[in-house]
């Protein structure tokens, strides 16, 4: 049976006090209880000032406990209040659905139990990255991977597009319980990246500003320096393309033949209307 409890997962954005959408703000205000999943104590305080019953999820993180178990317990904490018929809001920093499995899992569970559950997007580290580094993902493409997953599985990464590796500070952590991995794991990540990029390729360690008075970290270095780099929990690794776009000559030929056939059909029908649309991101080679 559907219960009356509801769940809304909202994003606070990356910058304290600057990124919260009006919809997220009103969802917080209308909730009976607000769970807070943010990494910065100042952001926690800010949210506590917005709601009398704002509960931090930080205590669920315990040294040595697998993050999977931590996340399972967080989902259960949210669901217990939803099952009790309350209007529950969970506020996550950035976007609640970007590299944030708790929000997705909690919404899926709430819906499976017949409750109304929704997600309110927020400004993620990805959004800030595009703005600060001047990257348009539509120009050359942009691949996003969780750094450990990128190491554990054979991904078909494309060095003609941007590559963004999240959670690079814990790259290679099979236990999902560490707060950082060291030079050994990074050497293995470097080895994997050297399959696609030269050692001197310029990479960027990116950290979006989280306070209006601080600046973003955009530290450039050669790929070979990754092993000794200062990788923090909030660092995202950005690797620009190393090779030019490779035209797919066979596909281009098939498209040209299709276009010719369509033009021939059009020439024998009514006169054509208007000019063809030209996509500035995909000039025809
Ligand atoms: C669990 S994910 C959370 C992402 C968040 N939900 C978002 O929307 O951006 C944590 C990872 O996000 C990235 N991240 C978190 N804070 C960041 C910041 N200030 N600048 C750049 N990347 C950040 C890092 O890759 C970090 O390891």
């Amino acid at each position: 049976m559907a219960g009356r409890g509801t769940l809304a997962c909202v994003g606070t954005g990356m910058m304290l006090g600057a990124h919260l959408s009006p919809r997220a703000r009103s969802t917080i205000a209308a909730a009976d209880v607000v769970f807070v999943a943010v990494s910065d104590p100042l952001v926690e305080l800010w949210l506590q000032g917005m709601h009398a019953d704002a509960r931090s999820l930080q205590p669920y993180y315990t040294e040595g406990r697998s993050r999977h178990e931590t996340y399972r317990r967080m989902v259960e904490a949210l669901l217990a209040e939803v099952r009790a018929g309350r209007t529950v809001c969970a506020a996550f920093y950035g976007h609640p659905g970007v590299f944030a499995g708790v929000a997705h899992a909690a919404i899926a569970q709430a819906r499976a139990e017949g409750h109304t559950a929704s997600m309110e997007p927020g400004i993620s580290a990805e959004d800030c990255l595009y703005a600060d580094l001047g990257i348009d993902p539509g120009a050359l493409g942009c691949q996003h991977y969780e750094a450990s997953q990128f190491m554990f599985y054979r991904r078909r990464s494309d060095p003609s597009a941007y590559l963004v590796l999240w959670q690079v500070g814990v790259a290679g952590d099979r236990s999902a319980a560490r707060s950082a991995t060291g030079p050994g794991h990074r050497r293995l990540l470097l080895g994997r990246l050297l399959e696609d990029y030269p050692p001197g390729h310029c990479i960027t360690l990116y950290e979006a500003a989280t306070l209006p008075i601080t600046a973003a970290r955009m530290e450039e270095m050669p790929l070979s320096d990754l092993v000794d780099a200062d990788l923090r929990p909030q660092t995202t690794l950005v690797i620009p393309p190393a090779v030019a776009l490779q035209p797919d000559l066979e596909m281009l030929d098939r498209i040209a033949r299709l276009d010719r056939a369509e033009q021939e059909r059009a020439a024998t029908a009514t006169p054509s209307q208007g000019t063809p649309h030209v996509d500035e991101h995909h000039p025809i080679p």
Side-chain angles (χ1 to χ4, degrees), residues 3 43 63 81 86 115 130 141 146 160 170 180 187 239 258:
V43 179
E63 190 60 38
E81 293 294 337
R86 309 191 79 196
H115 302 285
Y130 294 143
E146 199 280 327
S160 68
V170 286
R187 214 166 278 120
I239 306 181
L258 179 68

Side-chain angles (χ1 to χ4, degrees), residues 45-259:
L45 277 176
W46 172 57
L47 287 162
Q48 278 159 2
M50 259 184 240
H51 198 284
D53 190 1
R55 306 177 192 173
S56 172
L57 287 172
Q58 280 306 314
Y60 286 84
Y61 288 102
T62 299
E63 190 60 38
R65 180 189 285 165
S66 145
R67 281 189 290 283
H68 304 304
E69 176 58 17
T70 300
Y71 298 157
R72 195 191 62 73
R73 290 178 189 221
M74 288 178 176
V75 170
E76 271 312 302
L78 305 189
L79 263 293
E81 293 294 337
V82 176
R83 288 176 194 131
R86 309 191 79 196
T87 301
V88 179
C89 173
F92 296 79
Y93 78 92
H95 187 302
V98 171
F99 289 83
V102 171
H104 286 295
I107 288 172
Q109 184 62 32
R111 286 179 181 161
E113 294 180 19
H115 302 285
T116 299
S118 60
M119 182 179 284
E120 196 59 55
I123 295 177
S124 70
E126 177 182 359
D127 299 307
C128 299
L129 181 158
Y130 294 143
D132 287 332
L133 300 182
I135 296 170
D136 180 347
L140 292 170
C142 192
Q143 311 152 93
H144 289 260
Y145 294 108
E146 199 280 327
S148 295
Q149 191 190 74
F150 181 78
M151 294 171 74
F152 299 159
Y153 299 92
R154 293 301 314 181
R155 311 311 304 248
R156 290 173 47 156
S157 61
D158 175 0
S160 68
Y162 281 87
L163 174 62
V164 180
L165 294 182
W166 296 64
Q167 304 194 148
V168 70
V170 286
D173 176 22
R174 290 172 66 216
S175 70
R178 300 183 210 201
S179 54
T181 47
H185 291 84
R186 288 186 202 165
R187 214 166 278 120
L188 294 175
L189 174 60
L190 175 63
R192 168 65 184 87
L193 292 169
L194 287 173
E195 290 176 19
D196 292 323
Y197 303 92
H201 190 58
C202 183
I203 62 171
T204 302
L205 303 184
Y206 175 69
E207 290 168 18
T210 53
L211 297 174
I213 49 161
T214 56
R217 177 185 181 202
M218 296 178 278
E219 188 179 342
E220 294 187 348
M221 63 185 63
L223 174 60
S224 54
D225 284 4
L226 183 65
V227 174
D228 298 315
D230 180 14
L231 301 182
R232 307 166 189 162
Q234 70 272 28
T235 308
T236 298
L237 174 61
V238 182
I239 306 181
V243 298
L245 288 171
Q246 309 292 305
D248 182 341
L249 298 175
E250 195 185 313
M251 176 58 83
L252 287 168
D253 184 52
R254 285 158 70 186
I255 293 170
R257 276 187 276 133
L258 179 68
D259 288 347

